[in-house]
Amino acid sequence: MIIKLPITPYPAFVQLTQQQVKGEFYCAQQFADPVLANAAAFFKTKEGLPVTVTTEYTLGEKACFDDPEGYILTVTPQGAQIAASQPAGALYGAVTLALLARQGEVPCGVISDKPVWRHRGVQICYAQQNVNYRDAYLRHFIRAMAELKVNTVYLYLEWRYQFPSIPQTHNPEYLSPSQAAQLQQYAAGYHITLVPALNVLGHTSDFLAMQAFQNLSEYDLLTEDERTATGVALCTANPQVHRLMEKVLNDMMDAFDCPVIHVGGDEVAALGVCPHCQEKYGQRSKAMIYIDYYTRISRILKARGRKMGIWSDMLVQFLSEGDPSLLEAAQEMFDNTVIYDWCYDSAHTQAVEMLAKANVSLILSTSVHGCSVAAPWLGQTVNQHDYFTDGFRYDVMGGLATDWIYGHGYHGAQMGVLFATAEAMMWQGADSIFTVGATRDETCLSYALQTYGVGQPLVDYWHLAGDPDGQLLCNISPERNGSYLRRSVYLDDSPLGSFLRYGNMLRGEKLEQFRTGVHRAEKLWRQIETAARKTPDLYYLQGPVVLYRALLHKLDWANELYPLYDEAAQVQYTDSARFVQLLNRAAAGLRKHTGDLEEAITFARQMHAELGNEYGSVLRLENTVKNLEILADYLESLTDGHRPLPTFANMNQWLFARPLTNFWSSRCDEWFVEKPPFTRTDGDNGLPWGSARW
């Protein structure tokens, strides 16, 4: 009898009977090995059927038993046995049994399993929006990833680490060396290696924004000098940079015992243009400058037995230029490097083929794409599948599911389902449709069931919240969809901003369709919240509901205000009593809404407290409420008729932003003499138009 197991990753070989046993197990064995101890810890109760762990092969697929991460799980009415040649396999066998038991009855039979890819990684982000380190959450994340059979977790730090050699980074909100040591020990107990990810060339604007290091910037002398540079990359020729790299890389190697230190290398915006580089390199190509620099970095790591991890995009760009000498020049670097190709929205066949033919150590990096969306978009699974298919074709080392830019109401805690789909492909392999053994829908449903105990309602919620052609998002243009929605609520503190962005798209029937979608999402969330297992990240899955409800509030403010304001503008010089009445009604109406964003403020504050997200979202939401009051005050100030009513757009620009211009801004003369506290001035936009040309 074929019984589909509600589990992901799906096992390689499943032989089940029609019998089932109650999902209660205990393990009486005690182990000194931390991985085996954690395997046994999945079954803490002293009731139910016994679980035993053995290193003796008895039945099932022998190749699964022999694999260092493989296992054979046997379930009978008398109990369960996990047979594995190595502790990692025993852990994964325990995970499979525990996830099935968590859902109720467990079918009897034999499950034999092993991974297709040896390296199966995920990355979470601390740099970019500057996420603070939260130990409790990261420990939860590590255990949750172990349940997906992840064996490597990358911490994208850039410079957000307390480097012993750089006192400027000794911020108590950053990960410290002692915390890193404790965290590694914890992760190792779940067969997970922690890998720090820095960026030692590009993506260093945060670091270079400290005055002590501005002189290390790469800059173009035609537009900047070392005092005015707004650096985005380090100078590869500066001896101080070389000394700094030796310090920070040794700091990393002192703290982390992983075989690879990831050093970035992607999207280098400035290279070989500053006076240091011009003097040292002359006419040397950017490709050779890049290879020389990272060969130097690789040597530092190799001296202590580590490999360098580097993103592929710059190398792919340079190799695509067709210079055959580049491969020879890069050979020393390649010999001690793992290259991480990355592509988030399609296959990347040409680049993967090029790198595979160069015979480099290669890992393919997809993404859950949280930085680009307002809610988990299950369509991203197609991109994951198409990209990883290239990896299986060219027999790469494995895969990585990245995530980037936490903030504005978003954190990777909301993206477990897309980490799960990516990891399913890494463990199971990909077929022409999705993974070997399970469809996309089965994988998403299994993840929802095994993690939260709620199946279809949660999958429906993800589709409703994230599908661009669904009820909530179908009327929003692509360029204003995705993360732009989050920015409209969490990054913009104007009470009119969301209306000016979305008022033309969400109007009349389309606005009511959006409202109905919000109510449907609220209903689904209540159903999920009531029935779900209370995991540390469950609370954050409501992020899309909080977002769309806040957006709806902001749209309603302006939609209620606009007809009153517009009518007031029409009667300003013909019916002064009506004019005053309308503006006062509009101001009073706004003041009724000052509590509308409390839910979003609480949510953003909780994200900061528990996940480390930027606190700016809290401040901006609070400012939105203050600005709502300011707008009401301003409407009342206009009742004396001292100026023609400005448009919404003009009022928004002057009250809640600052117009930037070459010469003048619309209605500027009226704002210059506006009554305090509403007096405003515009400013310089920095564009060179109109400058003298000698």
Side-chain angles (χ1 to χ4, degrees), residues 513-541:
Q513 181 180 353
F514 181 77
R515 191 185 309 278
T516 302
V518 172
H519 294 331
R520 184 179 163 215
E522 291 171 336
K523 183 178 179 181
L524 279 169
W525 177 249
R526 287 194 297 270
Q527 184 180 352
I528 293 161
E529 192 175 30
T530 300
R533 292 178 61 245
K534 301 304 183 277
T535 68
D537 53 12
L538 176 68
Y539 174 82
Y540 302 103
L541 299 192

PDB file of all heavy atoms in Angstrom, residues 513-541:
ATOM      1  N   GLN A 513     -11.856  45.070  -3.389  1.00  0.00           N
ATOM      2  CA  GLN A 513     -11.296  43.738  -3.591  1.00  0.00           C
ATOM      3  C   GLN A 513     -10.095  43.537  -2.662  1.00  0.00           C
ATOM      4  O   GLN A 513      -9.944  42.476  -2.047  1.00  0.00           O
ATOM      5  CB  GLN A 513     -10.856  43.557  -5.043  1.00  0.00           C
ATOM      6  CG  GLN A 513     -10.284  42.179  -5.343  1.00  0.00           C
ATOM      7  CD  GLN A 513      -9.846  42.030  -6.795  1.00  0.00           C
ATOM      8  OE1 GLN A 513     -10.075  42.911  -7.615  1.00  0.00           O
ATOM      9  NE2 GLN A 513      -9.213  40.923  -7.115  1.00  0.00           N
ATOM     10  N   PHE A 514      -9.253  44.564  -2.557  1.00  0.00           N
ATOM     11  CA  PHE A 514      -8.115  44.490  -1.642  1.00  0.00           C
ATOM     12  C   PHE A 514      -8.601  44.359  -0.201  1.00  0.00           C
ATOM     13  O   PHE A 514      -8.083  43.543   0.573  1.00  0.00           O
ATOM     14  CB  PHE A 514      -7.249  45.742  -1.796  1.00  0.00           C
ATOM     15  CG  PHE A 514      -6.032  45.760  -0.921  1.00  0.00           C
ATOM     16  CD1 PHE A 514      -4.918  45.011  -1.226  1.00  0.00           C
ATOM     17  CD2 PHE A 514      -5.999  46.546   0.234  1.00  0.00           C
ATOM     18  CE1 PHE A 514      -3.784  45.028  -0.417  1.00  0.00           C
ATOM     19  CE2 PHE A 514      -4.884  46.574   1.052  1.00  0.00           C
ATOM     20  CZ  PHE A 514      -3.777  45.821   0.717  1.00  0.00           C
ATOM     21  N   ARG A 515      -9.617  45.121   0.170  1.00  0.00           N
ATOM     22  CA  ARG A 515     -10.156  45.067   1.528  1.00  0.00           C
ATOM     23  C   ARG A 515     -10.700  43.669   1.832  1.00  0.00           C
ATOM     24  O   ARG A 515     -10.466  43.119   2.912  1.00  0.00           O
ATOM     25  CB  ARG A 515     -11.269  46.109   1.680  1.00  0.00           C
ATOM     26  CG  ARG A 515     -11.725  46.316   3.136  1.00  0.00           C
ATOM     27  CD  ARG A 515     -12.917  47.277   3.202  1.00  0.00           C
ATOM     28  NE  ARG A 515     -12.673  48.511   2.488  1.00  0.00           N
ATOM     29  CZ  ARG A 515     -12.004  49.547   2.989  1.00  0.00           C
ATOM     30  NH1 ARG A 515     -11.534  49.479   4.213  1.00  0.00           N
ATOM     31  NH2 ARG A 515     -11.829  50.644   2.269  1.00  0.00           N
ATOM     32  N   THR A 516     -11.414  43.097   0.874  1.00  0.00           N
ATOM     33  CA  THR A 516     -11.941  41.744   1.060  1.00  0.00           C
ATOM     34  C   THR A 516     -10.809  40.739   1.216  1.00  0.00           C
ATOM     35  O   THR A 516     -10.883  39.808   2.027  1.00  0.00           O
ATOM     36  CB  THR A 516     -12.825  41.355  -0.137  1.00  0.00           C
ATOM     37  OG1 THR A 516     -13.893  42.303  -0.257  1.00  0.00           O
ATOM     38  CG2 THR A 516     -13.408  39.965   0.040  1.00  0.00           C
ATOM     39  N   GLY A 517      -9.729  40.936   0.444  1.00  0.00           N
ATOM     40  CA  GLY A 517      -8.564  40.068   0.579  1.00  0.00           C
ATOM     41  C   GLY A 517      -7.913  40.180   1.942  1.00  0.00           C
ATOM     42  O   GLY A 517      -7.483  39.180   2.528  1.00  0.00           O
ATOM     43  N   VAL A 518      -7.845  41.400   2.478  1.00  0.00           N
ATOM     44  CA  VAL A 518      -7.287  41.593   3.820  1.00  0.00           C
ATOM     45  C   VAL A 518      -8.141  40.859   4.848  1.00  0.00           C
ATOM     46  O   VAL A 518      -7.615  40.175   5.741  1.00  0.00           O
ATOM     47  CB  VAL A 518      -7.200  43.094   4.157  1.00  0.00           C
ATOM     48  CG1 VAL A 518      -6.811  43.289   5.627  1.00  0.00           C
ATOM     49  CG2 VAL A 518      -6.188  43.785   3.251  1.00  0.00           C
ATOM     50  N   HIS A 519      -9.466  40.974   4.727  1.00  0.00           N
ATOM     51  CA  HIS A 519     -10.349  40.282   5.672  1.00  0.00           C
ATOM     52  C   HIS A 519     -10.192  38.762   5.564  1.00  0.00           C
ATOM     53  O   HIS A 519     -10.228  38.055   6.582  1.00  0.00           O
ATOM     54  CB  HIS A 519     -11.800  40.681   5.418  1.00  0.00           C
ATOM     55  CG  HIS A 519     -12.091  42.123   5.716  1.00  0.00           C
ATOM     56  ND1 HIS A 519     -11.394  42.840   6.661  1.00  0.00           N
ATOM     57  CD2 HIS A 519     -13.016  42.989   5.191  1.00  0.00           C
ATOM     58  CE1 HIS A 519     -11.861  44.075   6.720  1.00  0.00           C
ATOM     59  NE2 HIS A 519     -12.832  44.191   5.835  1.00  0.00           N
ATOM     60  N   ARG A 520     -10.022  38.290   4.345  1.00  0.00           N
ATOM     61  CA  ARG A 520      -9.822  36.843   4.159  1.00  0.00           C
ATOM     62  C   ARG A 520      -8.500  36.397   4.791  1.00  0.00           C
ATOM     63  O   ARG A 520      -8.426  35.347   5.442  1.00  0.00           O
ATOM     64  CB  ARG A 520      -9.833  36.507   2.666  1.00  0.00           C
ATOM     65  CG  ARG A 520      -9.724  35.023   2.391  1.00  0.00           C
ATOM     66  CD  ARG A 520      -9.757  34.724   0.912  1.00  0.00           C
ATOM     67  NE  ARG A 520      -9.262  33.381   0.625  1.00  0.00           N
ATOM     68  CZ  ARG A 520      -8.561  33.048  -0.451  1.00  0.00           C
ATOM     69  NH1 ARG A 520      -8.281  33.961  -1.364  1.00  0.00           N
ATOM     70  NH2 ARG A 520      -8.145  31.819  -0.621  1.00  0.00           N
ATOM     71  N   ALA A 521      -7.448  37.198   4.616  1.00  0.00           N
ATOM     72  CA  ALA A 521      -6.156  36.879   5.229  1.00  0.00           C
ATOM     73  C   ALA A 521      -6.264  36.900   6.751  1.00  0.00           C
ATOM     74  O   ALA A 521      -5.677  36.058   7.443  1.00  0.00           O
ATOM     75  CB  ALA A 521      -5.096  37.866   4.755  1.00  0.00           C
ATOM     76  N   GLU A 522      -7.010  37.864   7.297  1.00  0.00           N
ATOM     77  CA  GLU A 522      -7.220  37.928   8.740  1.00  0.00           C
ATOM     78  C   GLU A 522      -7.915  36.666   9.244  1.00  0.00           C
ATOM     79  O   GLU A 522      -7.535  36.109  10.285  1.00  0.00           O
ATOM     80  CB  GLU A 522      -8.070  39.154   9.086  1.00  0.00           C
ATOM     81  CG  GLU A 522      -7.364  40.474   8.876  1.00  0.00           C
ATOM     82  CD  GLU A 522      -8.302  41.657   9.010  1.00  0.00           C
ATOM     83  OE1 GLU A 522      -9.530  41.470   8.818  1.00  0.00           O
ATOM     84  OE2 GLU A 522      -7.828  42.764   9.285  1.00  0.00           O
ATOM     85  N   LYS A 523      -8.921  36.223   8.506  1.00  0.00           N
ATOM     86  CA  LYS A 523      -9.651  35.019   8.906  1.00  0.00           C
ATOM     87  C   LYS A 523      -8.745  33.790   8.877  1.00  0.00           C
ATOM     88  O   LYS A 523      -8.758  32.959   9.800  1.00  0.00           O
ATOM     89  CB  LYS A 523     -10.858  34.821   7.988  1.00  0.00           C
ATOM     90  CG  LYS A 523     -11.735  33.633   8.359  1.00  0.00           C
ATOM     91  CD  LYS A 523     -12.945  33.532   7.438  1.00  0.00           C
ATOM     92  CE  LYS A 523     -13.815  32.328   7.787  1.00  0.00           C
ATOM     93  NZ  LYS A 523     -14.987  32.216   6.874  1.00  0.00           N
ATOM     94  N   LEU A 524      -7.957  33.667   7.818  1.00  0.00           N
ATOM     95  CA  LEU A 524      -7.028  32.541   7.729  1.00  0.00           C
ATOM     96  C   LEU A 524      -6.020  32.589   8.871  1.00  0.00           C
ATOM     97  O   LEU A 524      -5.702  31.562   9.481  1.00  0.00           O
ATOM     98  CB  LEU A 524      -6.300  32.562   6.388  1.00  0.00           C
ATOM     99  CG  LEU A 524      -7.046  32.001   5.183  1.00  0.00           C
ATOM    100  CD1 LEU A 524      -6.306  32.332   3.891  1.00  0.00           C
ATOM    101  CD2 LEU A 524      -7.214  30.481   5.309  1.00  0.00           C
ATOM    102  N   TRP A 525      -5.517  33.789   9.157  1.00  0.00           N
ATOM    103  CA  TRP A 525      -4.519  33.891  10.215  1.00  0.00           C
ATOM    104  C   TRP A 525      -5.103  33.504  11.565  1.00  0.00           C
ATOM    105  O   TRP A 525      -4.440  32.834  12.369  1.00  0.00           O
ATOM    106  CB  TRP A 525      -3.914  35.286  10.270  1.00  0.00           C
ATOM    107  CG  TRP A 525      -2.953  35.389  11.405  1.00  0.00           C
ATOM    108  CD1 TRP A 525      -3.070  36.104  12.550  1.00  0.00           C
ATOM    109  CD2 TRP A 525      -1.716  34.661  11.533  1.00  0.00           C
ATOM    110  NE1 TRP A 525      -2.005  35.893  13.381  1.00  0.00           N
ATOM    111  CE2 TRP A 525      -1.154  35.008  12.786  1.00  0.00           C
ATOM    112  CE3 TRP A 525      -1.043  33.767  10.714  1.00  0.00           C
ATOM    113  CZ2 TRP A 525       0.050  34.485  13.221  1.00  0.00           C
ATOM    114  CZ3 TRP A 525       0.158  33.232  11.159  1.00  0.00           C
ATOM    115  CH2 TRP A 525       0.693  33.594  12.394  1.00  0.00           C
ATOM    116  N   ARG A 526      -6.332  33.912  11.849  1.00  0.00           N
ATOM    117  CA  ARG A 526      -6.957  33.515  13.120  1.00  0.00           C
ATOM    118  C   ARG A 526      -7.076  32.003  13.207  1.00  0.00           C
ATOM    119  O   ARG A 526      -6.851  31.413  14.270  1.00  0.00           O
ATOM    120  CB  ARG A 526      -8.331  34.173  13.249  1.00  0.00           C
ATOM    121  CG  ARG A 526      -8.298  35.669  13.553  1.00  0.00           C
ATOM    122  CD  ARG A 526      -9.655  36.186  13.991  1.00  0.00           C
ATOM    123  NE  ARG A 526     -10.660  36.063  12.947  1.00  0.00           N
ATOM    124  CZ  ARG A 526     -10.912  37.002  12.030  1.00  0.00           C
ATOM    125  NH1 ARG A 526     -10.212  38.136  12.030  1.00  0.00           N
ATOM    126  NH2 ARG A 526     -11.849  36.827  11.117  1.00  0.00           N
ATOM    127  N   GLN A 527      -7.418  31.376  12.102  1.00  0.00           N
ATOM    128  CA  GLN A 527      -7.523  29.914  12.067  1.00  0.00           C
ATOM    129  C   GLN A 527      -6.162  29.271  12.315  1.00  0.00           C
ATOM    130  O   GLN A 527      -6.039  28.307  13.085  1.00  0.00           O
ATOM    131  CB  GLN A 527      -8.083  29.490  10.704  1.00  0.00           C
ATOM    132  CG  GLN A 527      -8.327  28.000  10.558  1.00  0.00           C
ATOM    133  CD  GLN A 527      -8.892  27.661   9.174  1.00  0.00           C
ATOM    134  OE1 GLN A 527      -9.232  28.548   8.383  1.00  0.00           O
ATOM    135  NE2 GLN A 527      -8.986  26.379   8.879  1.00  0.00           N
ATOM    136  N   ILE A 528      -5.134  29.808  11.694  1.00  0.00           N
ATOM    137  CA  ILE A 528      -3.772  29.283  11.851  1.00  0.00           C
ATOM    138  C   ILE A 528      -3.292  29.474  13.285  1.00  0.00           C
ATOM    139  O   ILE A 528      -2.789  28.538  13.928  1.00  0.00           O
ATOM    140  CB  ILE A 528      -2.819  29.989  10.867  1.00  0.00           C
ATOM    141  CG1 ILE A 528      -3.172  29.619   9.416  1.00  0.00           C
ATOM    142  CG2 ILE A 528      -1.366  29.644  11.169  1.00  0.00           C
ATOM    143  CD1 ILE A 528      -2.609  30.581   8.392  1.00  0.00           C
ATOM    144  N   GLU A 529      -3.453  30.677  13.794  1.00  0.00           N
ATOM    145  CA  GLU A 529      -2.954  31.009  15.123  1.00  0.00           C
ATOM    146  C   GLU A 529      -3.604  30.156  16.201  1.00  0.00           C
ATOM    147  O   GLU A 529      -2.961  29.759  17.180  1.00  0.00           O
ATOM    148  CB  GLU A 529      -3.206  32.488  15.391  1.00  0.00           C
ATOM    149  CG  GLU A 529      -2.491  33.042  16.589  1.00  0.00           C
ATOM    150  CD  GLU A 529      -2.685  34.533  16.724  1.00  0.00           C
ATOM    151  OE1 GLU A 529      -3.754  35.036  16.303  1.00  0.00           O
ATOM    152  OE2 GLU A 529      -1.792  35.199  17.256  1.00  0.00           O
ATOM    153  N   THR A 530      -4.866  29.825  16.007  1.00  0.00           N
ATOM    154  CA  THR A 530      -5.593  29.020  16.990  1.00  0.00           C
ATOM    155  C   THR A 530      -5.109  27.578  17.009  1.00  0.00           C
ATOM    156  O   THR A 530      -4.963  26.969  18.076  1.00  0.00           O
ATOM    157  CB  THR A 530      -7.102  29.056  16.685  1.00  0.00           C
ATOM    158  OG1 THR A 530      -7.564  30.410  16.748  1.00  0.00           O
ATOM    159  CG2 THR A 530      -7.883  28.210  17.676  1.00  0.00           C
ATOM    160  N   ALA A 531      -4.816  27.038  15.827  1.00  0.00           N
ATOM    161  CA  ALA A 531      -4.519  25.611  15.719  1.00  0.00           C
ATOM    162  C   ALA A 531      -3.032  25.276  15.724  1.00  0.00           C
ATOM    163  O   ALA A 531      -2.663  24.121  15.954  1.00  0.00           O
ATOM    164  CB  ALA A 531      -5.158  25.055  14.441  1.00  0.00           C
ATOM    165  N   ALA A 532      -2.160  26.240  15.491  1.00  0.00           N
ATOM    166  CA  ALA A 532      -0.749  25.945  15.234  1.00  0.00           C
ATOM    167  C   ALA A 532       0.031  25.608  16.490  1.00  0.00           C
ATOM    168  O   ALA A 532      -0.326  26.020  17.602  1.00  0.00           O
ATOM    169  CB  ALA A 532      -0.099  27.133  14.533  1.00  0.00           C
ATOM    170  N   ARG A 533       1.121  24.858  16.291  1.00  0.00           N
ATOM    171  CA  ARG A 533       2.114  24.680  17.336  1.00  0.00           C
ATOM    172  C   ARG A 533       2.754  26.029  17.620  1.00  0.00           C
ATOM    173  O   ARG A 533       3.043  26.800  16.724  1.00  0.00           O
ATOM    174  CB  ARG A 533       3.217  23.710  16.900  1.00  0.00           C
ATOM    175  CG  ARG A 533       2.809  22.280  16.736  1.00  0.00           C
ATOM    176  CD  ARG A 533       3.981  21.430  16.264  1.00  0.00           C
ATOM    177  NE  ARG A 533       5.089  21.431  17.212  1.00  0.00           N
ATOM    178  CZ  ARG A 533       6.286  21.944  16.932  1.00  0.00           C
ATOM    179  NH1 ARG A 533       6.539  22.515  15.785  1.00  0.00           N
ATOM    180  NH2 ARG A 533       7.247  21.878  17.836  1.00  0.00           N
ATOM    181  N   LYS A 534       3.006  26.306  18.885  1.00  0.00           N
ATOM    182  CA  LYS A 534       3.536  27.610  19.261  1.00  0.00           C
ATOM    183  C   LYS A 534       5.063  27.600  19.168  1.00  0.00           C
ATOM    184  O   LYS A 534       5.772  27.381  20.142  1.00  0.00           O
ATOM    185  CB  LYS A 534       3.068  27.984  20.671  1.00  0.00           C
ATOM    186  CG  LYS A 534       1.546  28.044  20.805  1.00  0.00           C
ATOM    187  CD  LYS A 534       0.913  29.014  19.788  1.00  0.00           C
ATOM    188  CE  LYS A 534      -0.581  29.148  19.958  1.00  0.00           C
ATOM    189  NZ  LYS A 534      -1.327  28.069  19.300  1.00  0.00           N
ATOM    190  N   THR A 535       5.572  27.825  17.979  1.00  0.00           N
ATOM    191  CA  THR A 535       7.012  27.900  17.759  1.00  0.00           C
ATOM    192  C   THR A 535       7.481  29.341  17.946  1.00  0.00           C
ATOM    193  O   THR A 535       6.684  30.273  17.855  1.00  0.00           O
ATOM    194  CB  THR A 535       7.364  27.432  16.342  1.00  0.00           C
ATOM    195  OG1 THR A 535       6.857  28.391  15.399  1.00  0.00           O
ATOM    196  CG2 THR A 535       6.751  26.070  16.041  1.00  0.00           C
ATOM    197  N   PRO A 536       8.788  29.561  18.163  1.00  0.00           N
ATOM    198  CA  PRO A 536       9.278  30.926  18.354  1.00  0.00           C
ATOM    199  C   PRO A 536       9.055  31.853  17.162  1.00  0.00           C
ATOM    200  O   PRO A 536       9.056  33.068  17.330  1.00  0.00           O
ATOM    201  CB  PRO A 536      10.778  30.726  18.613  1.00  0.00           C
ATOM    202  CG  PRO A 536      10.872  29.362  19.204  1.00  0.00           C
ATOM    203  CD  PRO A 536       9.828  28.557  18.484  1.00  0.00           C
ATOM    204  N   ASP A 537       8.895  31.301  15.967  1.00  0.00           N
ATOM    205  CA  ASP A 537       8.723  32.171  14.801  1.00  0.00           C
ATOM    206  C   ASP A 537       7.278  32.261  14.310  1.00  0.00           C
ATOM    207  O   ASP A 537       6.995  32.982  13.347  1.00  0.00           O
ATOM    208  CB  ASP A 537       9.634  31.730  13.648  1.00  0.00           C
ATOM    209  CG  ASP A 537       9.486  30.266  13.302  1.00  0.00           C
ATOM    210  OD1 ASP A 537       8.528  29.629  13.784  1.00  0.00           O
ATOM    211  OD2 ASP A 537      10.336  29.745  12.563  1.00  0.00           O
ATOM    212  N   LEU A 538       6.341  31.564  14.957  1.00  0.00           N
ATOM    213  CA  LEU A 538       4.949  31.603  14.510  1.00  0.00           C
ATOM    214  C   LEU A 538       4.419  33.033  14.487  1.00  0.00           C
ATOM    215  O   LEU A 538       3.752  33.447  13.531  1.00  0.00           O
ATOM    216  CB  LEU A 538       4.077  30.728  15.420  1.00  0.00           C
ATOM    217  CG  LEU A 538       2.568  30.772  15.112  1.00  0.00           C
ATOM    218  CD1 LEU A 538       2.278  30.128  13.764  1.00  0.00           C
ATOM    219  CD2 LEU A 538       1.780  30.080  16.217  1.00  0.00           C
ATOM    220  N   TYR A 539       4.715  33.783  15.531  1.00  0.00           N
ATOM    221  CA  TYR A 539       4.204  35.157  15.645  1.00  0.00           C
ATOM    222  C   TYR A 539       4.511  35.973  14.392  1.00  0.00           C
ATOM    223  O   TYR A 539       3.695  36.790  13.943  1.00  0.00           O
ATOM    224  CB  TYR A 539       4.824  35.816  16.876  1.00  0.00           C
ATOM    225  CG  TYR A 539       4.507  37.282  17.044  1.00  0.00           C
ATOM    226  CD1 TYR A 539       3.313  37.699  17.624  1.00  0.00           C
ATOM    227  CD2 TYR A 539       5.412  38.258  16.621  1.00  0.00           C
ATOM    228  CE1 TYR A 539       3.029  39.056  17.787  1.00  0.00           C
ATOM    229  CE2 TYR A 539       5.136  39.608  16.776  1.00  0.00           C
ATOM    230  CZ  TYR A 539       3.943  39.999  17.359  1.00  0.00           C
ATOM    231  OH  TYR A 539       3.669  41.336  17.509  1.00  0.00           O
ATOM    232  N   TYR A 540       5.680  35.748  13.786  1.00  0.00           N
ATOM    233  CA  TYR A 540       6.133  36.599  12.685  1.00  0.00           C
ATOM    234  C   TYR A 540       5.505  36.227  11.347  1.00  0.00           C
ATOM    235  O   TYR A 540       5.599  36.995  10.389  1.00  0.00           O
ATOM    236  CB  TYR A 540       7.659  36.581  12.628  1.00  0.00           C
ATOM    237  CG  TYR A 540       8.230  37.059  13.932  1.00  0.00           C
ATOM    238  CD1 TYR A 540       8.755  36.165  14.862  1.00  0.00           C
ATOM    239  CD2 TYR A 540       8.154  38.401  14.279  1.00  0.00           C
ATOM    240  CE1 TYR A 540       9.212  36.606  16.098  1.00  0.00           C
ATOM    241  CE2 TYR A 540       8.611  38.848  15.513  1.00  0.00           C
ATOM    242  CZ  TYR A 540       9.139  37.946  16.408  1.00  0.00           C
ATOM    243  OH  TYR A 540       9.567  38.391  17.629  1.00  0.00           O
ATOM    244  N   LEU A 541       4.850  35.083  11.301  1.00  0.00           N
ATOM    245  CA  LEU A 541       4.164  34.716  10.061  1.00  0.00           C
ATOM    246  C   LEU A 541       2.980  35.632   9.781  1.00  0.00           C
ATOM    247  O   LEU A 541       2.492  35.695   8.650  1.00  0.00           O
ATOM    248  CB  LEU A 541       3.680  33.261  10.121  1.00  0.00           C
ATOM    249  CG  LEU A 541       4.740  32.175  10.292  1.00  0.00           C
ATOM    250  CD1 LEU A 541       4.113  30.804  10.043  1.00  0.00           C
ATOM    251  CD2 LEU A 541       5.929  32.380   9.386  1.00  0.00           C
TER     252      LEU A 541
END
